[in-house]
């Protein structure tokens, strides 16, 4: 069935899909998540890249990384387990080979960066400062697949320090990507806020493991990996809820988003935008499909702007919210 243009509700009424996250303004709230969309070049035959709210390419590190030994992905009952291990060609190759294509694709490009320690994060951010066209930096302080990869994202003070360090060398909006693999994601979110983060991406993958009991071996070469896909959506929603209550910093929700109802659940819970990850492996056009159906969902919610639905969840004891109740 033909879809209405992404900026119109089904009855033709214009809808404002743009979102503002601190200093970052995006044309719509549907982004694609780091590590699940390559460097976008692979998708150009399938996806009108310029329609996306943002593209977050695979995380880059100062030096090339070969990643972990195979197997690196395992399908699970309701998700995907991966231990890619930040396989990437390094910062300079990214700048030379990948970034020019990305910047040409027409969608805002949020460059995902990682380093072994605070110094390396700052080094990468410093190198990217002044490169024209980049919309923002996303700090991957939450990859569970590299040695010590989550340390900076599990300790609130380390998180504050790395965000502040990056902040000190760049004028770009800085987004901290948080891990769910902590006791208190709210405490880490406060660290990111105190370091000056413009926005928080919530969440990276949840640590998991797959076992071949007959061979008595783990299936992943790295033994443990990160679980993504529908299995983690309830965890991601819980994290968005807790972060929303802890800080005022805008949130980009990610984790298990497959359908437009998933998108709306994240927005209502407090995310200002979302990223689509594992769903793109099943259908490279998943994010575009969600964008096409967003205006109708906003109409059903009784709003004409994305911002008007963000954080409107009614918790126990709350009778009303800013948005009028939806008529059945
Ligand atoms: C194969 C694979 C590779 C990933 N690589 C990265 C990465 O390089 N950097 C990053 O920040 N997140 C990475 N992620 C995490 C995703 O960006 C996302 O946070 C996570 O998968 C949860 O979203 P989803 O359930 O929609 O996939 C990766 C996920 C998968 C499945």
């Amino acid at each position: 069935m033909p879809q209405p243009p992404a900026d119109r509700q089904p009855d033709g009424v214009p809808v404002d899909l743009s979102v503002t996250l601190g200093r970052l303004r995006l044309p719509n709230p549907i982004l694609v998540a780091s590590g699940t969309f390559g460097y976008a070049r692979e998708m150009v035959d399938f996806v009108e890249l310029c329609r996306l709210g943002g593209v977050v390419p695979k995380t880059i590190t100062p030096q090339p990384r070969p990643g972990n030994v195979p197997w690196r992905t395992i399908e699970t009952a309701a998700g995907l387990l991966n231990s890619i291990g930040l396989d990437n060609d390094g910062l300079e190759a990214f700048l030379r080979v990948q970034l020019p294509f990305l910047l040409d694709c027409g969608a805002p490009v949020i460059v995902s960066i990682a380093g072994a320690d605070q110094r390396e994060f700052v080094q990468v951010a410093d190198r990217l400062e002044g490169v024209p066209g980049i919309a923002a930096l996303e700090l991957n302080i939450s990859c569970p697949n590299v040695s010590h990869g989550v340390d900076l994202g599990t300790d609130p003070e380390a998180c504050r320090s790395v965000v502040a360090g990056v902040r000190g060398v760049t004028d770009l909006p800085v987004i901290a990507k948080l891990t769910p693999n902590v006791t208190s994601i709210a405490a880490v979110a406060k660290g990111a806020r105190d370091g000056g983060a413009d926005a928080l991406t919530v969440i990276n993958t949840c640590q998991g493991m797959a076992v071949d009991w007959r061979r008595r071996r783990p299936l992943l070469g790295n033994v443990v990996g990160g679980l993504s896909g529908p299995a983690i959506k309830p965890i991601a929603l819980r994290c968005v809820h807790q972060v929303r209550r802890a800080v005022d910093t805008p949130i980009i929700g990610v984790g298990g988003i497959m359908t437009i109802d998933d998108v709306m659940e994240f927005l209502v819970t407090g995310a200002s935008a979302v990223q689509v990850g594992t769903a793109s492996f099943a259908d490279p056009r998943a994010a575009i499909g969600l964008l096409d159906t967003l205006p109708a969902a906003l109409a059903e919610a009784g709003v004409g702007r994305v911002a008007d639905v963000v954080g409107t969840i009614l918790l126990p004891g709350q009778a009303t919210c800013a948005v009028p109740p939806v008529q059945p």
Side-chain angles (χ1 to χ4, degrees):
M1 208 203 334
Q3 294 292 336
D7 59 351
R8 305 247 151 210
Q9 291 179 341
D11 55 7
V13 175
V15 56
D16 182 3
L17 293 182
S18 66
V19 290
T20 304
L21 301 113
R23 294 174 301 141
L24 177 63
R25 192 170 165 83
L26 300 173
N28 69 69
I30 312 288
L31 290 73
V32 286
S34 181
T36 62
F37 212 71
Y39 294 100
R41 194 188 293 270
E42 304 85 335
M43 302 297 192
V44 70
D45 291 337
F46 311 103
V47 181
E48 307 90 292
L49 298 171
C50 64
R51 292 188 57 206
L52 295 168
V55 173
V56 191
K58 176 76 187 169
T59 299
I60 52 161
T61 51
Q63 303 301 325
R65 287 177 56 93
N68 291 329
V69 294
W71 293 351
R72 307 206 296 191
T73 54
I74 304 283
E75 208 169 324
T76 66
L80 179 70
L81 198 55
N82 92 84
S83 67
I84 305 294
L86 293 188
D87 179 341
N88 78 104
D89 292 338
L91 173 60
E92 293 306 323
F94 174 77
L95 286 171
R96 207 175 48 249
V97 182
Q98 313 291 2
L99 189 60
F101 175 86
L102 280 160
L103 293 178
D104 247 18
C105 81
V109 177
I110 297 173
V111 177
S112 170
I113 67 172
D117 51 27
Q118 199 234 21
R119 189 186 54 81
E120 284 197 0
F121 271 92
V122 173
Q123 179 193 335
V124 180
D126 195 26
R127 179 74 177 86
L128 292 169
E129 176 61 9
V131 175
I134 297 173
L137 300 181
E138 184 176 85
L139 312 188
N140 180 2
I141 50 174
S142 47
C143 178
N145 295 322
V146 291
S147 177
H148 306 303
V150 292
D151 291 359
L152 297 168
T154 53
D155 174 43
E157 172 49 28
C159 175
R160 188 206 61 75
S161 168
V162 74
V163 173
V166 168
R167 193 104 215 73
V169 296
T170 186
D171 285 333
L172 289 170
V174 175
I175 305 166
K177 184 166 180 179
L178 305 187
T179 176
N181 306 314
V182 288
T183 307
S184 170
I185 195 167
V188 183
K190 286 178 183 165
R193 175 205 56 196
D194 295 346
D198 291 82
L200 305 171
T201 299
V202 180
I203 55 175
N204 210 316
T205 53
C206 304
Q207 276 191 311
M209 183 172 171
V211 172
D212 179 345
W213 72 266
R214 291 188 173 83
R215 292 172 53 242
R216 288 162 169 77
R217 288 189 187 280
L219 285 171
L220 289 173
N222 194 48
V223 182
V224 295
L227 184 64
S228 61
I232 71 167
K233 190 186 80 172
I235 298 172
L237 283 171
R238 181 267 297 172
C239 289
V240 168
H241 165 72
Q242 290 176 331
V243 170
R244 168 84 181 186
R245 253 122 212 101
V247 296
D248 285 336
T249 314
I251 298 168
I252 304 174
V254 52
I257 293 175
M258 307 291 284
T259 69
I260 191 63
D261 285 336
D262 297 334
V263 172
M264 295 301 287
E265 288 168 25
F266 275 87
L267 297 179
V268 163
T269 304
S272 300
V274 297
Q275 292 179 3
V276 178
T278 300
S280 297
F281 290 120
D283 174 7
R285 293 185 56 77
I288 294 292
L290 297 174
L291 180 58
D292 284 337
T293 46
L294 183 59
L298 292 175
E300 188 183 337
V303 300
R305 298 188 317 159
V306 175
D308 289 341
V309 84
V310 172
T312 54
I313 191 167
L314 288 171
L315 296 172
Q318 290 179 302
T320 57
C321 63
V323 183
V326 181
Q327 298 304 318

